[in-house]
Amino acid sequence: MKRSLTFLIVAAIVAVAGLWFLWTWGFCRFYVPINHIAVITAKEGSLLPPGQILAREGQKGVQENVLGEGRYFLNPYSYEHTIVPVTLIEPGKVGVIVSKVGNDLGQGDFLAGPGQKGIQRGVLGPGKYKINPVGYKVDILDAISIPIGYSAVVTSLSGRQAPEGAFAKPGEKGVMENILQPGLYYINPKQYKVDVIEVGLNQVSLLGKEGGAVITKTALRSSNGFLNNLENNVLQQQAANRADYISNESQSGMSLAPAQQDFALSRNAGSGTWANGSTRNSAAPAAKPQSEAKKEKTQTEATFVLNQHVSFPSRDGFDVALDMTVEFEFRPENVAGIYRDYGDMPAVVEKILMPQILSISRLKGSAYRALDFIVGEGREKFQNELTLSLQSNLGGKHITTHNALIRHVKVPEQILEPIQNSSIATEQDLTNKERQKTAAKLAELNTETQLIEQRSAEVIGETRKLKASIAANQAKQVAELGGETNVRVSEIAQKTASIRAERDVALGKANADASLMVEGEKAKGYALKIKAFGDPQAYNLAEFARALNPALKINVLHTGPGTLWTDLDKMGLSGAAGAKALEKR
């Protein structure tokens, strides 16, 4: 009985566990993929107060917190979930947050702080963010990329208005003193307006009565196509702002250059929002090849065209027109003040540069005759006076002037032709005089050439003579050295022969003495031997006997007188001498 009850209990537990596992893994489990979030909606809880959009824990509705990537378990009867992509902000982009939740903004405010409803001051840089799309909206815009050769003036769009003629401080609206140097910036375009201005050397080029142009440097391009696209967006905005100024506010009739017109018009072809709220071209021009980018570094381009020209009556009443180029510079530390006081480049040129150029040119130029601008030093003097006056007047406005160059002067034909003819005649006379001087110099040159050739021949003869003398001296010295060498060799040979003779005499004497000593000692030995035998004949006989062959048999036969032996005795060959005579036989 107990065993059956235990079995039933275990079976019930296993069944409950299996059902729980099936419910949890089959109905409650869900996954949030990579780069996605889950927005949770609670079906149960207290109702939301009026105006509240996102629910907190224990409240019914879309929950404020979202779930990131991973695996989760939620009761489907109590909760619903919706999978949506995360907010992805790519490099070069900035996210502007629009909050749908929070307290309402105060009167006159349009930017929200923490806990307020509306456009948030803070922005999101590149990255992935788990933001609830029900309570927040994120507008993804381009970051601000300031090209090389430019500085950016920042204008605060929120806060109380800064005093007139002063820079805006934190919390104030207006132009700020600090500028942006070339680089990439993640700025809230709803809070700040950014305007780029060319710094460094620029030109106002005037072409007499045909008008002129303002020429600025082309932005330096890097090999980074991504940054080039962002810079193109900024420059498009600059061109569009200048086009608006020229069409709406300019009083001098200036116009954009064709290239800048195309640049400005391309803004209206795309979609999106610029920093000031206008539309922009979302498809930026493709990055140029690196070879073209390097080429652009040394080029300049016309930014806008001027319809004004420099002309004035001369002191003698003739109408004079000048082709002129004025080189001016905006220094980075002065850009913010210039923009605050006068505006962008077209406004500065129209309000400051051109009035100064025209007035100073007329004032200074009317003191000169028309002839002074064509011949003599008058043109250079006028140019120097114009440059100094512009530097003095524009320096107080923080605009640096480097040069005012007069390229061409246009005067009426009735005065220009006589002056030209007179100048041509003068130049022709000078040319003829110079030709005469040249001919005289040529004759002197020919004379000097002949003298040089003569001197060259003399030098060659002297050189040959000197070479022959040197060769003879060398041969003499060689012969003398050869004779001395032979004498020396003979003396050495004579000494060598004398030494050899002395050596031979010494060797002969030594050999003779040695032989004498050896033979003398041998003779003394024989004398001692004879003395030992007592008689020379006895010694001879002993020697004879010693020389005989031991195997020799001697038979003594007596034959009487007249035999061999008796004959030998008569002949004196008996004894040892006879024995030797027999051996010879």
Side-chain angles (χ1 to χ4, degrees):
M1 187 68 179
K2 288 184 177 180
R3 184 176 296 177
S4 298
L5 181 60
T6 303
F7 176 77
L8 290 175
I9 294 173
V10 171
I13 293 173
V14 171
V16 171
L19 291 174
W20 177 85
F21 180 81
L22 178 63
W23 168 256
T24 302
W25 283 84
F27 296 94
C28 299
R29 177 175 55 90
F30 67 95
Y31 287 92
V32 180
I34 297 175
N35 294 333
H36 287 74
I37 58 174
V39 179
I40 307 302
T41 303
K43 300 179 182 179
E44 301 174 348
S46 60
L47 297 178
L48 298 178
Q52 183 176 342
I53 297 176
L54 298 179
R56 298 181 179 88
E57 188 175 355
Q59 292 181 325
K60 181 180 180 181
V62 179
Q63 297 294 299
E64 183 177 9
N65 296 325
V66 297
L67 301 179
E69 304 165 358
R71 182 177 61 195
Y72 300 93
F73 300 91
L74 288 178
N75 189 336
Y77 289 102
S78 301
Y79 298 96
E80 291 181 353
H81 66 273
T82 303
I83 306 298
V84 297
V86 298
T87 301
L88 177 63
I89 300 178
E90 299 178 350
K93 302 291 183 179
V94 64
V96 179
I97 306 172
V98 180
S99 176
K100 304 176 185 178
V101 299
N103 300 323
D104 292 335
L105 297 177
Q107 185 69 27
D109 294 335
F110 68 94
L111 293 179
Q116 291 183 316
K117 186 188 302 183
I119 301 172
Q120 300 293 305
R121 295 178 182 273
V123 296
L124 302 177
K128 293 189 293 185
Y129 299 90
K130 296 186 293 184
I131 297 178
N132 195 327
V134 177
Y136 302 92
K137 176 187 175 185
V138 179
D139 294 328
I140 300 177
L141 306 175
D142 288 331
I144 302 297
S145 180
I146 311 301
I148 298 174
Y150 290 76
S151 290
V153 178
V154 181
T155 304
S156 175
L157 303 177
S158 64
R160 62 183 183 276
Q161 184 64 47
E164 186 176 356
F167 290 110
K169 298 178 181 179
E172 294 182 339
K173 179 168 60 177
V175 177
M176 305 182 70
E177 184 175 9
N178 294 330
I179 63 172
L180 301 181
Q181 300 293 347
L184 185 64
Y185 298 90
Y186 297 97
I187 295 176
N188 190 340
K190 306 294 183 179
Q191 184 178 3
Y192 299 104
K193 177 174 173 287
V194 178
D195 293 279
V196 294
I197 299 180
E198 299 87 343
V199 294
L201 196 64
N202 299 291
Q203 295 179 356
V204 172
S205 186
L206 302 171
L207 305 176
K209 295 184 178 181
E210 299 175 4
V214 174
I215 300 174
T216 61
K217 298 175 300 184
T218 301
L220 299 178
R221 304 298 187 189
S222 66
S223 59
N224 190 328
F226 166 75
L227 289 180
N228 285 340
N229 290 340
L230 294 177
E231 291 171 1
N232 283 337
N233 292 339
V234 173
L235 296 178
Q236 280 181 331
Q237 177 62 45
Q238 179 204 55
N241 292 341
R242 291 177 176 178
D244 293 340
Y245 172 84
I246 290 173
S247 61
N248 299 326
E249 300 183 28
S250 176
Q251 303 299 322
S252 61
M254 65 172 62
S255 60
L256 278 180
Q260 295 295 316
Q261 289 178 358
D262 295 340
F263 212 25
L265 291 175
S266 66
R267 179 197 65 168
N268 300 321
S271 61
T273 305
W274 282 100
N276 62 355
S278 59
T279 56
R280 66 167 174 84
N281 181 11
S282 59
K288 296 186 178 182
Q290 191 170 2
S291 59
E292 294 186 20
K294 291 181 178 178
K295 183 178 179 181
E296 284 185 353
K297 291 183 179 181
T298 58
Q299 292 181 342
T300 57
E301 59 183 14
T303 303
F304 48 90
V305 179
L306 302 172
N307 295 326
Q308 296 170 302
H309 59 273
V310 177
S311 63
F312 50 84
S314 63
R315 191 178 69 185
D316 46 5
F318 293 99
D319 189 16
V320 178
L322 301 179
D323 287 353
M324 178 190 305
T325 295
V326 177
E327 296 177 340
F328 65 96
E329 178 183 2
F330 292 161
R331 297 187 183 275
E333 62 270 19
N334 298 326
V335 167
I338 294 173
Y339 185 84
R340 178 199 61 194
D341 296 337
Y342 309 113
D344 195 8
M345 178 78 74
V348 174
V349 172
E350 182 181 33
K351 298 176 183 178
I352 305 299
L353 287 176
M354 286 306 301
Q356 291 292 333
I357 293 173
L358 295 175
S359 63
I360 294 175
S361 297
R362 290 166 183 165
L363 179 63
K364 300 292 183 182
S366 298
Y368 290 84
R369 299 174 302 167
L371 179 64
D372 295 331
F373 290 100
I374 302 174
V375 297
E377 300 178 354
R379 176 172 172 175
E380 182 179 358
K381 184 179 178 182
F382 169 76
Q383 179 175 282
N384 293 336
E385 291 180 354
L386 176 62
T387 300
L388 293 175
S389 297
L390 288 175
Q391 290 175 345
S392 176
N393 293 347
L394 296 178
K397 298 176 174 60
H398 304 294
I399 300 174
T400 303
T401 305
H402 292 283
N403 290 297
L405 306 175
I406 307 301
R407 300 194 310 275
H408 183 63
V409 179
K410 299 178 182 179
V411 298
E413 290 294 331
Q414 62 268 27
I415 186 175
L416 179 62
E417 185 175 357
I419 293 174
Q420 287 179 339
N421 293 334
S422 175
S423 298
I424 292 173
T426 301
E427 293 297 328
Q428 188 65 43
D429 182 61
L430 293 175
T431 301
N432 293 333
K433 290 180 179 178
E434 290 299 325
R435 286 178 178 175
Q436 293 176 359
K437 293 180 181 179
T438 302
K441 292 293 183 181
L442 183 60
E444 293 178 3
L445 178 61
N446 292 333
T447 302
E448 293 296 332
T449 302
Q450 295 296 328
L451 292 175
I452 290 172
E453 292 178 355
Q454 180 181 354
R455 182 58 181 163
S456 298
E458 293 175 356
V459 171
I460 292 173
E462 292 177 358
T463 302
R464 290 175 178 174
K465 179 181 179 181
L466 183 59
K467 288 172 64 177
S469 176
I470 292 172
N473 289 334
Q474 289 178 343
K476 179 181 178 182
Q477 292 177 3
V478 170
E480 290 176 352
L481 290 174
E484 292 177 358
T485 301
N486 293 332
V487 171
R488 189 63 177 164
V489 169
S490 299
E491 291 177 352
I492 293 172
Q494 182 180 0
K495 291 181 179 180
T496 303
S498 176
I499 292 170
R500 287 178 178 173
E502 292 177 357
R503 184 197 62 181
D504 292 341
V505 170
L507 289 175
K509 183 179 180 182
N511 291 332
D513 292 343
S515 178
L516 179 61
M517 292 175 66
V518 171
E519 294 300 327
E521 292 299 325
K522 286 182 179 180
K524 290 180 181 179
Y526 285 128
L528 291 174
K529 287 181 181 180
I530 294 172
K531 185 177 181 182
F533 281 95
D535 185 2
Q537 187 170 1
Y539 172 74
N540 289 335
L541 291 175
E543 286 294 320
F544 175 74
R546 187 181 61 82
L548 290 177
N549 189 351
L552 178 66
K553 293 181 180 181
I554 302 175
N555 294 320
V556 180
L557 297 177
H558 184 73
T559 59
T563 61
L564 174 63
W565 295 104
T566 57
D567 292 337
L568 288 174
D569 185 47
K570 292 178 180 179
M571 293 175 62
L573 296 174
S574 58
K580 289 183 179 181
L582 289 176
E583 286 179 359
K584 291 180 180 179
R585 289 182 181 182

